[in-house]
């Protein structure tokens, strides 16, 4: 039976981390790259940090990007619609054919930090940001 692989990327102001996992929850590769908050380092440097992290994780997993079923990019600096448009375009160009979701890094922290599906997440790193999700699923 074929194994399905997923990619997760946490991109921040100081570094970017990527992991590849399989459909039963095993981490099969991880990697790190430079900063990827494009508001701080610019779009070209941000894509370089992301690409380095992703490629290192794929190499560790002995996989290619074409073998990834779906990815989530949780990126600091992805705060407004104009940021989403710039980053979505750059990711689509960098990883053609990859199906992905693009969210702010606070979202991945909230989703990873609770099994309830609701709560508040606060990032205080190279910058500060927050998100909240109510019990009825409303996000702010």
């Amino acid at each position: 039976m074929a194994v399905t692989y997923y990619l997760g990327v946490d991109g921040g102001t100081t570094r970017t981390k990527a992991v590849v996992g399989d459909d039963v929850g095993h981490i099969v590769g991880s990697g790190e790259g430079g900063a990827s908050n494009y508001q701080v380092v610019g779009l070209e440097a941000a894509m370089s940090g992301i690409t380095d992290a992703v490629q290192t994780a794929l190499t560790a997993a002995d996989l290619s990007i074409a073998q990834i079923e779906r990815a989530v990019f949780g990126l600091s600096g992805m705060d407004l619609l104009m940021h989403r448009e710039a980053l979505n375009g750059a990711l689509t160009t960098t990883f053609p054919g990859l199906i992905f979701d693009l969210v702010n890094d606070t979202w991945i922290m909230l989703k990873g930090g609770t099994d309830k599906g609701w709560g508040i997440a606060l990032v205080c790193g190279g910058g500060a940001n927050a998100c909240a999700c109510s019990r009825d699923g409303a996000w702010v």
Side-chain angles (χ1 to χ4, degrees), residues 82-101:
M82 64 187 227
H83 305 147
R84 174 178 295 283
E85 290 170 351
L87 289 164
N88 190 66
L91 289 167
T92 299
T93 300
T94 303
F95 304 106
L98 179 65
I99 298 168
F100 64 87
D101 292 315

Side-chain angles (χ1 to χ4, degrees), residues 45-106:
M47 288 302 110
S48 177
I50 293 167
T51 301
D52 289 348
V54 168
Q55 191 53 56
T56 303
L58 290 170
T59 298
D62 196 25
L63 296 170
S64 71
I65 196 70
Q67 293 172 278
I68 300 299
E69 180 75 17
R70 189 173 194 94
V72 173
F73 292 89
L75 305 179
S76 67
M78 205 294 295
D79 301 315
L80 304 172
L81 180 58
M82 64 187 227
H83 305 147
R84 174 178 295 283
E85 290 170 351
L87 289 164
N88 190 66
L91 289 167
T92 299
T93 300
T94 303
F95 304 106
L98 179 65
I99 298 168
F100 64 87
D101 292 315
L102 173 59
V103 297
N104 182 274
D105 62 336
T106 58

